[in-house]
Amino acid sequence: MPQLAQRIGRAQPSAIMVIAEKAKQLKSAGRDIISFSIGVPNFLPGEHVYAAAREALSHDSGQYGSNRGADVLLDAFLEHIEALGFSGYGRKNISIGIGAKQVLYNLAEALLNEGEEICFAAPYWTTYHDIAQIVGAKINVLHCGPEQNYKLTVDQLDAALARKPKVFLFNNPSNPTGMVYSREEIAALADVLAKYPDTWIITDDIYNSMVFDGLGYHNFVFARPELRDRLIFVDSLSKTYGMPGWRVGLIAAPEAVALAVTTLNSNHITSVPEVITAAAVAAFSGPQDIPQAKCEEFAAKRDVVVHALRAIPGVVCPRPQGAFYAFPDISIAFGKHHGGVRIENDVQFCAALLEAKGVACVPGSAFGEPRAMRISYTCPTAQLEPGLARIAEFFAELS
């Protein structure tokens, strides 16, 4: 029998989806399950988005669209990023994809030859590591533990860039930690990046509209405009607008990078469908009241989650200031028993928690930090405090 390509051996199924599927199976079997596992916003976009989609269907051309993205969507995105602080970009700097994940894969294909180095901080979104492995890149993980609030330091970045990686990938606000870098922190890191002109910079900032406490969203290019020639900003409809299933991701980038991604689109996806394009334009250009209200709701939920976790003896939880995740250090549980089950690591902890209490969380090792677990607090509000109470009960029963 012919063999599969070697790269398939480097591809791994999403650890997040494995947990979500297990929780779904238990729920189907009649278990009372509260899921803090999958990172979906759990709200729907406004009616204007659906109205735009219905209107597009009513006069659908049935034709292929642009590999780069329809002009009307490119223009809507340009207005969106202008409001964020990105100025001087045009259509030639934009390209689109089927979600930010596909855009990131295209960027890996466009920027990294096999064996070239990519560096990023841990905790990291699982897909960063997975995509880098598939394309055969060399990975340098910069470990940022809870003792430094899961944030990359200037010294860490300087040491990593001194190795001359081809790509530096940065995520702000962070999945899985919910941490947000301040203006001052971004400026300090940008000063380091300016010293190393041979490294591409990807900022995966799809949670840029979900920032709490008045901290604001900041990007390296705001602090050091000269970085624009090698910086790629990644955005998405999924989190901000409650549209993960619509699958729209976008980049603002140097012209050559946007063209490279567009060329790959011509071989991968051809185009985003007309109806999806119309919905995306409506999301960017229409009322922003739902995203704003949800940001406030998530900030309030964050407070509930952090208060509950910090009340558990031995659990350390840096206070997130964006997205909708908390990432507590649960290593106090390692070496203890729950019932007859000995817990040695984060995977065993999450498995025991799901089995004993019906609460689904994702082990931190999926994100490069095996001392922790990720809690996504987008569940219905009525489930939040009961789920947190079950976690506290689980810890109280350890021996």
Side-chain angles (χ1 to χ4, degrees):
M1 177 179 175
Q3 300 298 304
L4 297 175
Q6 289 182 356
R7 72 178 65 88
I8 293 300
R10 301 194 293 263
Q12 301 293 327
S14 167
I16 300 169
M17 295 308 297
V18 169
I19 296 293
E21 285 300 315
K22 176 64 175 176
K24 187 182 299 183
Q25 291 169 9
L26 290 173
K27 192 168 186 176
S28 297
R31 288 285 305 276
D32 175 21
I33 302 297
I34 295 176
S35 181
F36 293 151
S37 59
I38 193 165
V40 294
N42 277 333
F43 67 88
L44 294 174
E47 173 55 29
H48 63 287
V49 171
Y50 292 102
R54 286 191 291 266
E55 176 64 19
L57 283 173
S58 72
H59 58 263
D60 178 39
S61 73
Q63 301 300 311
Y64 294 123
S66 165
N67 301 146
R68 185 183 294 273
D71 285 350
V72 64
L73 179 52
L74 302 182
D75 291 343
F77 184 58
L78 285 167
E79 289 186 15
H80 172 74
I81 65 173
E82 178 82 26
L84 288 176
F86 294 90
S87 59
Y89 288 80
R91 292 175 182 173
K92 65 185 180 181
N93 300 111
I94 311 301
S95 193
I96 196 170
I98 305 297
K101 185 179 289 188
Q102 192 250 338
V103 167
L104 286 167
Y105 190 91
N106 270 359
L107 287 172
E109 292 277 12
L111 302 180
L112 286 161
N113 294 308
E114 188 158 345
E116 290 183 329
E117 184 170 306
I118 181 172
C119 64
F120 47 81
Y124 49 73
W125 183 39
T126 58
T127 292
Y128 297 163
H129 202 277
D130 296 342
I131 287 176
Q133 283 190 309
I134 291 170
V135 302
K138 182 179 180 181
I139 303 169
N140 181 21
V141 175
L142 315 177
H143 292 280
C144 306
E147 61 280 355
Q148 60 191 72
N149 289 324
Y150 299 126
K151 289 185 181 182
L152 185 66
T153 68
V154 164
D155 288 343
Q156 281 180 301
L157 180 60
D158 198 34
L161 295 183
R163 295 162 53 105
K164 298 185 178 180
K166 186 71 173 295
V167 174
F168 167 58
L169 176 53
F170 186 72
N171 181 212
N172 176 48
S174 166
N175 176 7
T177 68
M179 305 309 290
V180 179
Y181 288 76
S182 69
R183 183 194 303 271
E184 294 75 20
E185 289 168 332
I186 288 292
L189 294 172
D191 288 343
V192 177
L193 288 164
K195 293 167 50 181
Y196 298 94
D198 296 325
T199 296
W200 289 107
I201 306 159
I202 301 174
T203 63
D204 176 12
D205 295 351
I206 68 170
Y207 297 91
N208 61 74
S209 295
M210 292 184 179
V211 178
F212 315 146
D213 307 326
L215 195 60
Y217 164 73
H218 306 285
N219 189 282
F220 300 131
V221 78
F222 302 167
R224 297 293 293 255
E226 67 269 30
L227 296 177
R228 177 175 153 173
D229 291 340
R230 53 193 176 94
L231 185 141
I232 303 105
F233 167 74
V234 179
D235 205 348
S236 167
L237 288 182
S238 296
K239 315 300 182 178
T240 300
Y241 295 102
M243 298 173 68
W246 293 79
R247 309 309 304 136
V248 179
L250 311 99
I251 61 168
E255 184 177 355
V257 175
L259 178 60
V261 170
T262 298
T263 301
L264 288 172
N265 281 347
S266 73
N267 293 281
H268 289 169
I269 64 168
T270 302
S271 61
V272 171
E274 286 184 24
V275 63
I276 304 296
T277 294
V281 171
F284 281 132
S285 304
Q288 303 296 306
D289 53 323
I290 292 179
Q292 290 167 4
K294 288 298 176 180
C295 184
E296 293 174 5
E297 178 184 318
F298 290 142
K301 285 186 170 182
R302 179 275 313 270
D303 292 340
V304 173
V305 171
V306 171
H307 177 77
L309 293 174
R310 288 183 172 178
I312 301 172
V315 171
V316 176
C317 185
R319 186 171 185 264
Q321 291 186 289
F324 38 67
Y325 306 107
F327 202 64
D329 181 335
I330 56 167
S331 59
I332 190 70
F334 299 169
K336 297 182 180 180
H337 292 80
H338 188 272
V341 177
R342 182 174 173 85
I343 296 170
E344 296 289 357
N345 54 49
D346 61 316
V347 175
Q348 292 175 357
F349 180 95
C350 289
L353 177 64
L354 180 57
E355 184 61 36
K357 298 297 181 180
V359 176
C361 300
V362 184
S365 54
F367 309 98
E369 177 46 87
R371 293 175 290 177
M373 70 177 182
R374 191 186 76 172
I375 293 174
S376 174
Y377 50 80
T378 63
C379 62
T381 301
Q383 295 182 3
L384 186 61
E385 292 195 29
L388 294 167
R390 294 185 194 185
I391 294 174
E393 289 172 2
F394 184 85
F395 271 98
E397 292 166 359
L398 294 175
S399 60

